[in-house]
């Protein structure tokens, strides 16, 4: 059976006044489905398909097919408004409270998610405190499809400025949300679910720094977790950073957009001192975070055989990763893992990104000369340039910090391996000067000890560096 069958053809036009709004869907048919749904959760007679506890664990094929049609139909605003007028959310509350059928719960949450796409309905759902609490409890469900639909619903509500604060406050007051989200990120292998949960966390942290700080400091509160029966399950003592890393590892190969989301979450953590400390003061001293990010930029992103335009596609994830590496480097320069790979990371990756951005910039100039662009086109290009500028600024900051830390031994190794040469050093100096003059000057002093000829050539190309 298809997961979400197409809505049925309706004979509503044959009966005047039976159509839902401007659709061809029948009010009578929708009434009948919702009525049968009530009977499913409150049967008048014992059902042979019910579990020993008296609740049905499976939907019959006809009922599942019909309720899935309602799910699809609820994407239409007229249908969504009709369901709201019929108090469908109260029926769904009954499903959440009584149903032992995961598929039914998933569908009902999915219908609410569709209804929440419309502003007025979203406000109504969000202001219902009981419904809000029940929906947050669904994050403790053991069924991945239900968790996915719950996360989609939460993200929809958090994306509505009129009600976002309601949900942020509600989540802040429910410690179980933190534990359940961490449990999902650390243990799920469902990539779609991990991406959607990541988007919820990213949105929460972006909306409310206080909530982010609470979650950074959290990890000692034990609360209700996923369970297959009525007995709450005590969750481990979660820390936010290891959970984010575990989720990032799961999505990195299958979903580039998901990786972008989790890298941005890490970047948001580095915007506060507590977040940086949570990263670098992990039991391994931040080595796992550094290793993952280092591996991403050195082995997967913006590789030598990629066309320069790749930096356009990867600009946001590169900016997030390099921003976190920069924050870690600045706070933990004494760590062995940051000392070992300075020259390689500094020149084989950062310089390549800067060179690729120069190529993209030249292409943009050439394109602008070839044809007149419309106003909307110019806006998009300006936005593109803005994101590339952010990436360049982050690259330069990290490059500057690393240049100041290079020793004669590091420099000799870079020269031997080919990472340091006149071309790469010239690219670095061109992008760093004049803002990072002190870093360039410090590196040039070290370079004179390792290769006087190269240092002299660079001084000729950049006269401002010549020693008086």
């Amino acid at each position: 059976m298809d997961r979400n069958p197409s809505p049925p053809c309706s004979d509503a036009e044959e009966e005047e006044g039976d159509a839902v709004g401007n659709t061809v869907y029948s009010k009578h048919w929708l009434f009948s489905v919702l009525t049968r749904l009530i009977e499913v959760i409150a049967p008048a007679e014992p059902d042979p398909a019910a579990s020993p506890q008296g609740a049905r664990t499976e939907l019959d094929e006809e009922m599942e097919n019909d309720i899935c049609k309602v799910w699809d139909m609820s994407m239409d605003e007229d249908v969504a408004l009709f369901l709201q007028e019929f108090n469908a959310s109260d029926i769904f509350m009954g499903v959440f409270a009584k149903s032992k059928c995961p598929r039914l719960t998933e569908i009902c949450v999915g219908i609410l998610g569709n209804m929440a796409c419309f502003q007025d309905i979203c406000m109504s759902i969000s202001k219902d405190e009981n419904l809000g609490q029940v929906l947050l409890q669904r994050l403790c469900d053991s069924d991945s499809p239900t968790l996915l639909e719950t996360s989609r619903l939460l993200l929809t509500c958090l994306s509505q400025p009129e009600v976002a604060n309601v949900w942020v406050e509600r989540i802040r007051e429910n410690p179980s949300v933190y534990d359940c989200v961490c449990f999902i990120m650390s243990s799920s292998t469902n990539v779609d679910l991990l991406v959607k949960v990541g988007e919820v966390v990213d949105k929460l942290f972006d909306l409310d720094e206080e909530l982010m700080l609470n979650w950074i400091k959290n990890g000692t509160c034990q609360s209700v977790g996923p369970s297959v029966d009525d007995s709450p399950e005590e969750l481990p003592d979660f820390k936010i950073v290891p959970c984010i890393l575990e989720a990032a590892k799961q999505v990195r190969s299958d979903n580039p957009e998901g990786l972008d989301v989790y890298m941005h979450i890490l970047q948001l953590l580095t915007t506060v001192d507590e977040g940086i400390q949570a990263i670098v003061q992990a039991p391994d001293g931040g080595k796992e975070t550094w290793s993952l990010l280092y591996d991403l930029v050195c082995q997967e992103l913006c590789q030598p055989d990629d066309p320069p335009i790749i930096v356009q596609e990867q600009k946001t994830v590169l900016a997030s990763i390099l921003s976190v590496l920069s924050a870690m480097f600045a706070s933990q320069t004494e760590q062995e893992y940051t000392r070992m790979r300075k020259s390689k990371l500094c020149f084989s990756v950062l310089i390549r990104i800067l060179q690729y951005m120069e190529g993209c910039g030249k292409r943009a100039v050439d394109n602008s000369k070839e044809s007149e662009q419309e106003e909307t086109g110019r806006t998009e290009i300006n936005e593109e340039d803005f994101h590339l500028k952010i990436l360049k600024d982050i690259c330069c900051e990290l490059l500057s910090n690393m240049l100041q830390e290079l020793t004669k031994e590091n420099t000799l190794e870079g020269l031997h391996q080919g990472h340091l040469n006149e071309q790469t050093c010239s690219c670095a100096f061109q992008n760093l000067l004049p803002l990072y003059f002190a870093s360039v000057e410090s590196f040039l002093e070290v370079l004179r000890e390792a290769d006087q000829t190269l240092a002299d050539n660079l001084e000729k190309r950049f006269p401002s560096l010549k020693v008086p």
Side-chain angles (χ1 to χ4, degrees):
M1 178 191 295
D2 293 337
R3 185 163 186 77
N4 292 319
S6 299
C9 296
S10 173
D11 297 326
E13 292 176 332
E14 297 179 6
E15 299 182 29
E16 187 176 353
D18 187 46
V20 177
N22 293 321
T23 73
V24 295
Y25 305 132
S26 167
K27 292 180 181 178
H28 177 76
W29 184 85
L30 277 169
F31 273 129
S32 68
V33 175
L34 293 174
T35 302
R36 287 159 54 204
L37 180 58
I38 295 172
E39 293 172 353
V40 167
I41 58 176
E45 298 179 1
D47 192 322
S51 67
Q53 288 77 23
R56 296 177 57 152
T57 58
E58 298 292 338
L59 281 174
D60 63 68
E61 185 174 344
E62 181 183 0
M63 184 63 198
E64 180 174 356
N65 193 44
D66 284 347
I67 196 68
C68 279
K69 290 173 183 176
V70 176
W71 189 358
D72 280 344
M73 292 161 61
S74 63
M75 290 187 291
D76 186 290
E77 185 172 9
D78 286 334
V79 174
L81 288 169
F82 175 81
L83 292 173
Q84 183 189 29
E85 292 171 4
F86 194 72
N87 294 323
S89 59
D90 291 342
I91 299 175
F92 299 153
M93 285 270 285
V95 171
F96 303 149
K98 299 179 181 180
S99 174
K100 297 293 182 180
C101 175
R103 177 63 170 150
L104 180 58
T105 303
E106 173 205 357
I107 295 169
C108 291
V109 177
I111 294 172
L112 278 174
N114 283 350
M115 294 169 63
C117 293
F118 305 104
Q119 183 177 341
D120 290 343
I121 301 177
C122 184
M123 292 180 67
S124 176
I125 291 173
S126 301
K127 291 177 180 179
D128 188 330
E129 186 63 28
N130 290 331
L131 180 58
Q133 295 296 336
V134 169
L135 288 172
L136 291 184
Q137 290 173 12
R138 297 273 63 78
L139 287 173
C140 298
D141 207 294
S142 60
D143 181 59
S144 291
T146 298
L147 290 170
L148 177 60
E149 292 306 318
T150 304
S151 302
R152 184 174 73 90
L153 170 58
L154 290 177
L155 184 62
T156 299
C157 294
L158 289 168
S159 300
Q160 294 272 6
E162 297 81 9
V163 299
N165 289 338
V166 174
W167 286 98
V168 169
E169 184 66 27
R170 189 173 286 151
I171 291 170
R172 192 189 297 134
E173 294 174 353
N174 280 268
S176 64
V177 174
Y178 169 86
D179 285 330
C180 293
V181 166
C182 284
F183 181 82
I184 294 168
M185 291 193 296
S186 62
S187 63
S188 178
T189 57
N190 185 316
V191 172
D192 291 337
L193 172 58
L194 288 172
V195 173
K196 195 58 65 177
V197 167
E199 289 174 345
V200 170
V201 174
D202 188 42
K203 191 69 176 178
L204 283 170
F205 286 2
D206 195 37
L207 286 170
D208 193 82
E209 184 176 294
E210 181 184 346
L211 183 142
M212 181 173 72
L213 287 169
N214 289 342
W215 281 26
I216 291 170
K217 298 171 185 176
N218 213 329
T220 58
C221 178
Q222 301 295 333
S223 53
V224 178
S227 176
V228 295
D229 53 31
D230 292 331
S231 302
E233 179 179 310
E234 193 175 78
L235 293 176
D237 186 18
F238 288 116
K239 300 294 184 183
I240 190 69
V241 173
C243 296
I244 294 170
L245 293 180
E246 190 59 38
K249 292 174 187 175
Q250 287 289 334
V251 304
R252 64 183 289 186
S253 300
D254 298 324
N255 195 300
E257 292 78 13
L259 179 64
D260 198 344
V261 168
Y262 279 98
M263 294 303 100
H264 190 253
I265 295 173
L266 284 176
Q267 183 183 10
L268 287 173
L269 292 182
T270 64
T271 61
V272 294
D273 290 339
E274 293 86 347
I276 298 174
Q277 295 307 309
I279 293 173
V280 300
Q281 291 183 356
D284 62 356
K287 184 177 181 180
E288 184 180 0
T289 304
W290 180 276
S291 296
L292 173 63
L293 303 188
Y294 179 87
D295 188 53
L296 286 170
V297 294
C298 289
Q299 303 299 327
E300 296 186 20
L301 301 173
C302 202
Q303 295 301 292
D305 56 348
D306 289 331
I309 195 68
I310 195 69
V311 78
Q312 295 270 19
E313 300 175 9
Q314 300 175 350
K315 58 186 178 297
T316 56
V317 68
L318 282 169
S320 294
I321 291 173
L322 295 178
S323 180
V324 178
L325 288 174
S326 182
M328 294 182 70
F329 188 89
S331 63
Q332 291 285 303
T333 51
E334 76 282 359
Q335 288 288 350
E336 183 63 25
Y337 61 79
T338 62
R339 292 201 301 266
M340 287 170 52
R341 301 164 172 176
K342 285 176 185 174
S343 61
K344 182 178 179 182
L345 178 62
C346 185
F347 289 91
S348 66
V349 178
L350 298 181
I351 296 299
R352 185 188 313 134
I353 293 172
L354 291 171
Q355 290 173 330
Y356 281 10
M357 280 193 287
E358 289 176 359
C360 290
K362 291 177 182 178
R363 177 174 299 193
V365 171
D366 293 339
N367 289 340
S368 66
K369 291 179 180 178
E370 289 177 5
S371 62
E372 288 292 326
Q373 298 169 340
E374 296 181 1
E375 190 65 30
T376 55
R378 285 197 294 271
T379 301
E380 290 174 358
I381 289 176
N382 288 337
E383 184 178 352
E384 193 80 12
D385 290 343
F386 174 74
H387 289 295
L388 285 174
K389 183 181 184 303
I390 291 176
L391 176 58
K392 180 180 177 180
D393 290 345
I394 294 171
C395 278
C396 290
E397 181 181 5
L398 179 54
L399 187 57
S400 169
N401 289 336
M402 288 185 162
L403 284 181
Q404 292 188 78
E405 298 297 326
L406 286 179
T407 64
K408 180 180 178 180
E409 291 72 22
N410 297 140
T411 304
L412 287 170
E413 181 184 2
L415 291 167
H416 176 72
Q417 294 179 349
H419 305 313
L420 280 171
N421 54 51
E422 187 168 347
Q423 181 184 12
T424 57
C425 289
S426 295
C427 179
F429 289 9
Q430 182 176 340
N431 284 279
L432 292 176
L433 293 172
L435 185 60
Y436 296 101
F437 181 88
S439 297
V440 174
E441 189 177 44
S442 171
F443 167 68
L444 196 58
E445 287 296 325
V446 175
L447 185 60
R448 286 194 186 97
E449 299 180 24
D451 190 330
Q452 182 66 50
T453 301
L454 177 57
D456 290 342
N457 290 340
L458 289 170
E459 283 187 337
K460 292 177 183 178
R461 294 191 64 172
F462 298 91
S464 64
L465 295 173
K466 288 184 179 179
V467 177

